[in-house]
Amino acid sequence: MTRRTFRLERPDRVVVGTVGQPGSRVFHLQVREGSQLVTVRCEKVQISHIALQMDRILDGLAAHVADVFVPPSVEKPDDLDPLDAPIEEEFTVGTMAMAFDDESKRIEMEMYAVSDDELMMSDPAMLLTTLPEAAPDSLEVVMTTSQARQFVARCRVVVASGRQYCPYCSQQILSAEGHLCPRSNGYRRPLVW
């Protein structure tokens, strides 16, 4: 099978979103550049890690690199629109990498498809030394620092919009009927917010 590499260097939109109800949501990362639309499937924890690491890179740049404009963090992203249709997954993300390109002054994010190669699964760093034709499908996205800040904010909103938390014990409520709160001493009481 031929390896596919999607490289979007001037994306118009880079967002994460979900399909489904809380508790059974499917997470997607979607990139649009002109008429090209690429959608990959991710796990919730991957979205959280992407946001955390990208935020660290941006904060480090703001604090230590004078010739790079880095906007401050934002709580609410400008783009809260749904994912673009059609949502056709190119692959499921396995390994991810992120870096700042000093020459272009942009954040580069690479995502590789889940691989059934046992060596690559045990050591994802092998992707760096693997011949391109032997590597799994990949998505490479190059973002400005402003796009990256907006992307981080959207990641946080999407991750936080899942299941609600109990106001008494702070555990996630896994059922629509509520949960047996340990602070209620064994009695199910209605949760009213």
Side-chain angles (χ1 to χ4, degrees), residues 21-168:
Q21 298 299 315
S24 60
R25 297 185 298 169
V26 177
F27 289 79
H28 294 93
L29 184 141
Q30 193 174 71
V31 186
R32 183 182 67 220
E33 183 176 310
S35 62
Q36 185 177 14
L37 181 66
V38 180
T39 305
V40 294
R41 183 179 183 149
C42 299
E43 294 294 327
K44 181 179 181 178
V45 68
Q46 290 174 313
I47 301 297
S48 294
H49 286 308
I50 289 170
L52 179 68
Q53 293 305 321
M54 193 171 287
D55 215 23
R56 285 182 179 166
I57 289 172
L58 292 167
D59 289 345
L61 290 169
H64 303 292
V65 182
D67 66 335
V68 177
F69 169 73
V70 179
S73 292
V74 293
E75 293 296 318
K76 184 178 177 190
D78 294 338
D79 182 357
L80 287 172
D81 293 337
L83 295 172
D84 292 333
I87 299 174
E88 297 173 356
E89 299 172 8
E90 300 297 340
F91 58 84
T92 299
V93 174
T95 303
M96 302 179 297
M98 195 177 321
F100 177 73
D101 180 31
D102 197 39
E103 190 174 312
S104 68
K105 308 292 189 223
R106 292 174 175 254
I107 303 286
E108 292 192 19
M109 180 170 58
E110 295 180 12
M111 300 182 162
Y112 294 91
V114 172
S115 173
D116 57 359
D117 184 321
E118 289 182 25
L119 287 173
M120 211 168 292
M121 286 172 43
S122 64
D123 184 15
M126 281 187 64
L127 288 169
L128 300 173
T129 59
T130 301
L131 294 173
E133 57 274 5
D137 291 352
S138 66
L139 169 62
E140 300 169 9
V141 182
V142 182
M143 292 182 266
T144 65
T145 55
S146 297
Q147 285 177 313
R149 279 288 192 207
Q150 288 293 318
F151 177 75
V152 167
R154 168 95 180 217
C155 287
R156 290 195 173 127
V157 166
V158 168
V159 167
S161 67
R163 296 179 182 138
Q164 293 186 344
Y165 288 85
C166 174
Y168 304 112

